[in-house]
mmCIF file of all heavy atoms in Angstrom:
data_model
loop_
_atom_site.group_PDB
_atom_site.id
_atom_site.type_symbol
_atom_site.label_atom_id
_atom_site.label_comp_id
_atom_site.label_asym_id
_atom_site.label_seq_id
_atom_site.Cartn_x
_atom_site.Cartn_y
_atom_site.Cartn_z
ATOM 1 N N LEU A 1 69.655 102.952 102.831
ATOM 2 C CA LEU A 1 70.767 103.852 103.116
ATOM 3 C C LEU A 1 70.902 104.839 101.964
ATOM 4 O O LEU A 1 71.208 104.431 100.836
ATOM 5 C CB LEU A 1 72.062 103.040 103.272
ATOM 6 C CG LEU A 1 73.365 103.823 103.412
ATOM 7 C CD1 LEU A 1 73.350 104.661 104.687
ATOM 8 C CD2 LEU A 1 74.566 102.877 103.414
ATOM 9 N N PRO A 2 70.647 106.128 102.180
ATOM 10 C CA PRO A 2 70.801 107.082 101.094
ATOM 11 C C PRO A 2 72.222 107.040 100.535
ATOM 12 O O PRO A 2 73.202 107.179 101.267
ATOM 13 C CB PRO A 2 70.522 108.434 101.778
ATOM 14 C CG PRO A 2 69.678 108.087 102.971
ATOM 15 C CD PRO A 2 70.187 106.757 103.435
ATOM 16 N N ALA A 3 72.323 106.803 99.237
ATOM 17 C CA ALA A 3 73.632 106.676 98.592
ATOM 18 C C ALA A 3 73.636 107.488 97.313
ATOM 19 O O ALA A 3 72.736 107.360 96.481
ATOM 20 C CB ALA A 3 73.936 105.206 98.293
ATOM 21 N N LEU A 4 74.647 108.316 97.167
ATOM 22 C CA LEU A 4 74.791 109.171 95.989
ATOM 23 C C LEU A 4 75.931 108.654 95.129
ATOM 24 O O LEU A 4 77.043 108.456 95.626
ATOM 25 C CB LEU A 4 75.069 110.615 96.413
ATOM 26 C CG LEU A 4 73.967 111.290 97.231
ATOM 27 C CD1 LEU A 4 74.465 112.646 97.743
ATOM 28 C CD2 LEU A 4 72.704 111.465 96.406
ATOM 29 N N ALA A 5 75.668 108.445 93.851
ATOM 30 C CA ALA A 5 76.684 107.939 92.931
ATOM 31 C C ALA A 5 77.168 109.060 92.024
ATOM 32 O O ALA A 5 76.359 109.809 91.458
ATOM 33 C CB ALA A 5 76.119 106.801 92.092
ATOM 34 N N PHE A 6 78.496 109.163 91.899
ATOM 35 C CA PHE A 6 79.095 110.165 91.025
ATOM 36 C C PHE A 6 80.207 109.526 90.212
ATOM 37 O O PHE A 6 80.912 108.639 90.703
ATOM 38 C CB PHE A 6 79.716 111.319 91.842
ATOM 39 C CG PHE A 6 78.745 112.068 92.695
ATOM 40 C CD1 PHE A 6 78.589 111.761 94.032
ATOM 41 C CD2 PHE A 6 77.971 113.088 92.163
ATOM 42 C CE1 PHE A 6 77.699 112.446 94.839
ATOM 43 C CE2 PHE A 6 77.071 113.791 92.958
ATOM 44 C CZ PHE A 6 76.933 113.477 94.289
ATOM 45 N N SER A 7 80.383 109.999 88.986
ATOM 46 C CA SER A 7 81.615 109.648 88.299
ATOM 47 C C SER A 7 82.755 110.311 89.071
ATOM 48 O O SER A 7 82.562 111.332 89.749
ATOM 49 C CB SER A 7 81.596 110.151 86.853
ATOM 50 O OG SER A 7 81.919 111.522 86.788
ATOM 51 N N GLY A 8 83.938 109.721 88.989
ATOM 52 C CA GLY A 8 85.074 110.299 89.703
ATOM 53 C C GLY A 8 85.315 111.735 89.300
ATOM 54 O O GLY A 8 85.664 112.582 90.137
ATOM 55 N N ALA A 9 85.122 112.032 88.015
ATOM 56 C CA ALA A 9 85.334 113.403 87.536
ATOM 57 C C ALA A 9 84.307 114.357 88.140
ATOM 58 O O ALA A 9 84.641 115.452 88.606
ATOM 59 C CB ALA A 9 85.260 113.432 86.015
ATOM 60 N N ASP A 10 83.039 113.936 88.138
ATOM 61 C CA ASP A 10 81.990 114.807 88.683
ATOM 62 C C ASP A 10 82.123 114.993 90.189
ATOM 63 O O ASP A 10 81.755 116.040 90.725
ATOM 64 C CB ASP A 10 80.617 114.238 88.359
ATOM 65 C CG ASP A 10 80.233 114.411 86.899
ATOM 66 O OD1 ASP A 10 80.740 115.344 86.263
ATOM 67 O OD2 ASP A 10 79.430 113.596 86.400
ATOM 68 N N LEU A 11 82.644 113.991 90.870
ATOM 69 C CA LEU A 11 82.822 114.105 92.323
ATOM 70 C C LEU A 11 83.731 115.284 92.667
ATOM 71 O O LEU A 11 83.510 115.983 93.661
ATOM 72 C CB LEU A 11 83.409 112.809 92.886
ATOM 73 C CG LEU A 11 83.547 112.733 94.405
ATOM 74 C CD1 LEU A 11 82.193 112.810 95.091
ATOM 75 C CD2 LEU A 11 84.272 111.455 94.813
ATOM 76 N N LEU A 12 84.734 115.507 91.825
ATOM 77 C CA LEU A 12 85.665 116.607 92.079
ATOM 78 C C LEU A 12 85.057 117.976 91.766
ATOM 79 O O LEU A 12 85.575 118.998 92.198
ATOM 80 C CB LEU A 12 86.943 116.416 91.260
ATOM 81 C CG LEU A 12 87.745 115.152 91.552
ATOM 82 C CD1 LEU A 12 89.016 115.124 90.714
ATOM 83 C CD2 LEU A 12 88.086 115.037 93.029
ATOM 84 N N HIS A 13 83.950 117.982 90.996
ATOM 85 C CA HIS A 13 83.327 119.246 90.612
ATOM 86 C C HIS A 13 82.255 119.650 91.603
ATOM 87 O O HIS A 13 81.114 119.961 91.219
ATOM 88 C CB HIS A 13 82.734 119.132 89.200
ATOM 89 C CG HIS A 13 83.757 119.197 88.117
ATOM 90 N ND1 HIS A 13 84.046 120.355 87.404
ATOM 91 C CD2 HIS A 13 84.585 118.256 87.623
ATOM 92 C CE1 HIS A 13 84.993 120.118 86.531
ATOM 93 N NE2 HIS A 13 85.349 118.841 86.630
ATOM 94 N N GLY A 14 82.568 119.627 92.884
ATOM 95 C CA GLY A 14 81.641 120.110 93.889
ATOM 96 C C GLY A 14 81.269 119.124 94.970
ATOM 97 O O GLY A 14 81.437 119.410 96.168
ATOM 98 N N PRO A 15 80.726 117.936 94.617
ATOM 99 C CA PRO A 15 80.286 117.006 95.674
ATOM 100 C C PRO A 15 81.387 116.562 96.621
ATOM 101 O O PRO A 15 81.092 116.104 97.730
ATOM 102 C CB PRO A 15 79.737 115.811 94.874
ATOM 103 C CG PRO A 15 79.312 116.389 93.577
ATOM 104 C CD PRO A 15 80.315 117.460 93.276
ATOM 105 N N LEU A 16 82.652 116.682 96.213
ATOM 106 C CA LEU A 16 83.756 116.324 97.105
ATOM 107 C C LEU A 16 83.645 117.047 98.437
ATOM 108 O O LEU A 16 84.059 116.532 99.481
ATOM 109 C CB LEU A 16 85.096 116.650 96.429
ATOM 110 C CG LEU A 16 86.354 116.343 97.245
ATOM 111 C CD1 LEU A 16 86.543 114.845 97.388
ATOM 112 C CD2 LEU A 16 87.585 116.985 96.600
ATOM 113 N N ALA A 17 83.040 118.222 98.417
ATOM 114 C CA ALA A 17 82.949 119.036 99.633
ATOM 115 C C ALA A 17 82.164 118.360 100.743
ATOM 116 O O ALA A 17 82.365 118.663 101.921
ATOM 117 C CB ALA A 17 82.312 120.388 99.289
ATOM 118 N N MET A 18 81.258 117.445 100.405
ATOM 119 C CA MET A 18 80.446 116.810 101.458
ATOM 120 C C MET A 18 81.121 115.582 102.051
ATOM 121 O O MET A 18 80.627 115.027 103.032
ATOM 122 C CB MET A 18 79.077 116.416 100.900
ATOM 123 C CG MET A 18 79.097 115.257 99.944
ATOM 124 S SD MET A 18 77.422 114.790 99.462
ATOM 125 C CE MET A 18 77.795 113.560 98.206
ATOM 126 N N THR A 19 82.233 115.139 101.471
ATOM 127 C CA THR A 19 82.904 113.964 102.022
ATOM 128 C C THR A 19 83.720 114.368 103.240
ATOM 129 O O THR A 19 84.418 115.370 103.234
ATOM 130 C CB THR A 19 83.814 113.304 100.979
ATOM 131 O OG1 THR A 19 84.820 114.227 100.555
ATOM 132 C CG2 THR A 19 83.019 112.860 99.770
ATOM 133 N N ASP A 20 83.587 113.562 104.295
ATOM 134 C CA ASP A 20 84.321 113.802 105.533
ATOM 135 C C ASP A 20 84.322 112.494 106.316
ATOM 136 O O ASP A 20 83.793 111.481 105.827
ATOM 137 C CB ASP A 20 83.690 114.959 106.334
ATOM 138 C CG ASP A 20 82.239 114.709 106.719
ATOM 139 O OD1 ASP A 20 81.870 113.547 106.992
ATOM 140 O OD2 ASP A 20 81.458 115.673 106.748
ATOM 141 N N PRO A 21 84.885 112.451 107.511
ATOM 142 C CA PRO A 21 84.936 111.180 108.253
ATOM 143 C C PRO A 21 83.592 110.537 108.537
ATOM 144 O O PRO A 21 83.517 109.353 108.837
ATOM 145 C CB PRO A 21 85.664 111.572 109.547
ATOM 146 C CG PRO A 21 86.528 112.726 109.158
ATOM 147 C CD PRO A 21 85.705 113.496 108.162
ATOM 148 N N ASP A 22 82.496 111.315 108.456
ATOM 149 C CA ASP A 22 81.169 110.769 108.737
ATOM 150 C C ASP A 22 80.450 110.270 107.478
ATOM 151 O O ASP A 22 79.324 109.759 107.579
ATOM 152 C CB ASP A 22 80.300 111.822 109.418
ATOM 153 C CG ASP A 22 80.835 112.180 110.793
ATOM 154 O OD1 ASP A 22 81.371 111.267 111.461
ATOM 155 O OD2 ASP A 22 80.738 113.359 111.181
ATOM 156 N N VAL A 23 81.051 110.451 106.293
ATOM 157 C CA VAL A 23 80.414 110.039 105.046
ATOM 158 C C VAL A 23 81.275 108.976 104.377
ATOM 159 O O VAL A 23 82.296 109.291 103.765
ATOM 160 C CB VAL A 23 80.210 111.232 104.090
ATOM 161 C CG1 VAL A 23 79.519 110.758 102.806
ATOM 162 C CG2 VAL A 23 79.388 112.319 104.753
ATOM 163 N N PRO A 24 80.923 107.702 104.503
ATOM 164 C CA PRO A 24 81.707 106.655 103.858
ATOM 165 C C PRO A 24 81.686 106.809 102.335
ATOM 166 O O PRO A 24 80.684 107.209 101.747
ATOM 167 C CB PRO A 24 81.001 105.362 104.288
ATOM 168 C CG PRO A 24 80.151 105.731 105.451
ATOM 169 C CD PRO A 24 79.778 107.154 105.259
ATOM 170 N N VAL A 25 82.816 106.466 101.719
ATOM 171 C CA VAL A 25 82.944 106.518 100.260
ATOM 172 C C VAL A 25 83.350 105.143 99.756
ATOM 173 O O VAL A 25 84.337 104.567 100.235
ATOM 174 C CB VAL A 25 83.981 107.566 99.823
ATOM 175 C CG1 VAL A 25 84.159 107.538 98.305
ATOM 176 C CG2 VAL A 25 83.552 108.970 100.278
ATOM 177 N N LEU A 26 82.576 104.619 98.819
ATOM 178 C CA LEU A 26 82.886 103.349 98.164
ATOM 179 C C LEU A 26 83.365 103.673 96.764
ATOM 180 O O LEU A 26 82.601 104.173 95.934
ATOM 181 C CB LEU A 26 81.647 102.461 98.121
ATOM 182 C CG LEU A 26 81.808 101.080 97.492
ATOM 183 C CD1 LEU A 26 82.655 100.172 98.379
ATOM 184 C CD2 LEU A 26 80.443 100.444 97.247
ATOM 185 N N ALA A 27 84.647 103.416 96.486
ATOM 186 C CA ALA A 27 85.239 103.762 95.198
ATOM 187 C C ALA A 27 85.611 102.495 94.439
ATOM 188 O O ALA A 27 86.211 101.578 95.002
ATOM 189 C CB ALA A 27 86.487 104.627 95.392
ATOM 190 N N VAL A 28 85.250 102.450 93.162
ATOM 191 C CA VAL A 28 85.598 101.323 92.296
ATOM 192 C C VAL A 28 86.856 101.723 91.521
ATOM 193 O O VAL A 28 86.811 102.623 90.680
ATOM 194 C CB VAL A 28 84.452 100.972 91.337
ATOM 195 C CG1 VAL A 28 84.777 99.700 90.564
ATOM 196 C CG2 VAL A 28 83.136 100.820 92.091
ATOM 197 N N VAL A 29 87.946 101.058 91.838
ATOM 198 C CA VAL A 29 89.246 101.423 91.262
ATOM 199 C C VAL A 29 89.899 100.163 90.704
ATOM 200 O O VAL A 29 90.482 99.372 91.436
ATOM 201 C CB VAL A 29 90.175 102.083 92.310
ATOM 202 C CG1 VAL A 29 91.464 102.554 91.627
ATOM 203 C CG2 VAL A 29 89.475 103.247 93.000
ATOM 204 N N GLY A 30 89.787 99.976 89.414
ATOM 205 C CA GLY A 30 90.363 98.805 88.775
ATOM 206 C C GLY A 30 91.627 99.138 88.019
ATOM 207 O O GLY A 30 92.296 100.140 88.281
ATOM 208 N N GLY A 31 91.963 98.301 87.056
ATOM 209 C CA GLY A 31 93.117 98.554 86.223
ATOM 210 C C GLY A 31 92.722 99.360 84.992
ATOM 211 O O GLY A 31 91.586 99.827 84.873
ATOM 212 N N GLY A 32 93.634 99.526 84.093
ATOM 213 C CA GLY A 32 93.350 100.239 82.859
ATOM 214 C C GLY A 32 93.220 101.732 83.041
ATOM 215 O O GLY A 32 93.502 102.293 84.105
ATOM 216 N N ALA A 33 92.742 102.386 81.983
ATOM 217 C CA ALA A 33 92.662 103.845 81.972
ATOM 218 C C ALA A 33 91.685 104.378 83.013
ATOM 219 O O ALA A 33 91.936 105.410 83.644
ATOM 220 C CB ALA A 33 92.261 104.326 80.581
ATOM 221 N N GLY A 34 90.555 103.691 83.203
ATOM 222 C CA GLY A 34 89.576 104.151 84.178
ATOM 223 C C GLY A 34 90.120 104.121 85.591
ATOM 224 O O GLY A 34 89.924 105.064 86.369
ATOM 225 N N GLY A 35 90.806 103.040 85.948
ATOM 226 C CA GLY A 35 91.383 102.947 87.276
ATOM 227 C C GLY A 35 92.464 103.979 87.503
ATOM 228 O O GLY A 35 92.556 104.585 88.583
ATOM 229 N N ALA A 36 93.284 104.204 86.468
ATOM 230 C CA ALA A 36 94.337 105.224 86.582
ATOM 231 C C ALA A 36 93.734 106.609 86.802
ATOM 232 O O ALA A 36 94.253 107.402 87.595
ATOM 233 C CB ALA A 36 95.199 105.206 85.329
ATOM 234 N N ALA A 37 92.601 106.875 86.127
ATOM 235 C CA ALA A 37 91.950 108.177 86.277
ATOM 236 C C ALA A 37 91.346 108.365 87.663
ATOM 237 O O ALA A 37 91.095 109.496 88.091
ATOM 238 C CB ALA A 37 90.864 108.332 85.211
ATOM 239 N N MET A 38 91.104 107.266 88.386
ATOM 240 C CA MET A 38 90.520 107.352 89.716
ATOM 241 C C MET A 38 91.552 107.606 90.809
ATOM 242 O O MET A 38 91.184 107.954 91.929
ATOM 243 C CB MET A 38 89.776 106.063 90.047
ATOM 244 C CG MET A 38 88.379 105.983 89.462
ATOM 245 S SD MET A 38 87.245 107.228 90.137
ATOM 246 C CE MET A 38 87.157 106.731 91.864
ATOM 247 N N ARG A 39 92.828 107.430 90.510
ATOM 248 C CA ARG A 39 93.842 107.542 91.561
ATOM 249 C C ARG A 39 93.847 108.930 92.201
ATOM 250 O O ARG A 39 93.924 109.069 93.427
ATOM 251 C CB ARG A 39 95.229 107.218 90.995
ATOM 252 C CG ARG A 39 95.361 105.795 90.462
ATOM 253 C CD ARG A 39 95.454 104.792 91.582
ATOM 254 N NE ARG A 39 95.291 103.406 91.110
ATOM 255 C CZ ARG A 39 95.662 102.349 91.792
ATOM 256 N NH1 ARG A 39 96.225 102.486 92.985
ATOM 257 N NH2 ARG A 39 95.458 101.131 91.310
ATOM 258 N N ASP A 40 93.758 109.960 91.385
ATOM 259 C CA ASP A 40 93.758 111.324 91.919
ATOM 260 C C ASP A 40 92.486 111.582 92.717
ATOM 261 O O ASP A 40 92.514 112.260 93.751
ATOM 262 C CB ASP A 40 93.881 112.336 90.780
ATOM 263 C CG ASP A 40 93.984 113.766 91.282
ATOM 264 O OD1 ASP A 40 94.861 114.034 92.127
ATOM 265 O OD2 ASP A 40 93.183 114.612 90.836
ATOM 266 N N VAL A 41 91.370 111.028 92.266
ATOM 267 C CA VAL A 41 90.103 111.189 92.977
ATOM 268 C C VAL A 41 90.199 110.573 94.362
ATOM 269 O O VAL A 41 89.823 111.194 95.372
ATOM 270 C CB VAL A 41 88.959 110.532 92.178
ATOM 271 C CG1 VAL A 41 87.646 110.647 92.946
ATOM 272 C CG2 VAL A 41 88.830 111.147 90.795
ATOM 273 N N VAL A 42 90.702 109.338 94.416
ATOM 274 C CA VAL A 42 90.829 108.642 95.693
ATOM 275 C C VAL A 42 91.757 109.403 96.638
ATOM 276 O O VAL A 42 91.488 109.515 97.847
ATOM 277 C CB VAL A 42 91.325 107.197 95.460
ATOM 278 C CG1 VAL A 42 91.707 106.546 96.776
ATOM 279 C CG2 VAL A 42 90.254 106.377 94.750
ATOM 280 N N ALA A 43 92.839 109.946 96.104
ATOM 281 C CA ALA A 43 93.778 110.701 96.938
ATOM 282 C C ALA A 43 93.101 111.912 97.565
ATOM 283 O O ALA A 43 93.306 112.202 98.756
ATOM 284 C CB ALA A 43 94.978 111.137 96.104
ATOM 285 N N LYS A 44 92.281 112.607 96.799
ATOM 286 C CA LYS A 44 91.597 113.798 97.317
ATOM 287 C C LYS A 44 90.544 113.419 98.348
ATOM 288 O O LYS A 44 90.331 114.138 99.340
ATOM 289 C CB LYS A 44 90.991 114.594 96.165
ATOM 290 C CG LYS A 44 92.029 115.363 95.341
ATOM 291 C CD LYS A 44 91.382 116.180 94.254
ATOM 292 C CE LYS A 44 92.373 117.185 93.648
ATOM 293 N NZ LYS A 44 93.601 116.585 93.166
ATOM 294 N N VAL A 45 89.850 112.306 98.124
ATOM 295 C CA VAL A 45 88.871 111.838 99.110
ATOM 296 C C VAL A 45 89.583 111.453 100.418
ATOM 297 O O VAL A 45 89.124 111.785 101.520
ATOM 298 C CB VAL A 45 88.077 110.633 98.550
ATOM 299 C CG1 VAL A 45 87.244 109.980 99.651
ATOM 300 C CG2 VAL A 45 87.184 111.070 97.396
#
């Protein structure tokens, strides 16, 4: 299965445009500073 990995920050710098109902997104969102930084990314996805 072709799978593209991006940091949450890089995803917002362009690749976000390819996400839509036909492109599943698997997001790793934990606690701490990294998880907090992902909240905005997940909201936009």
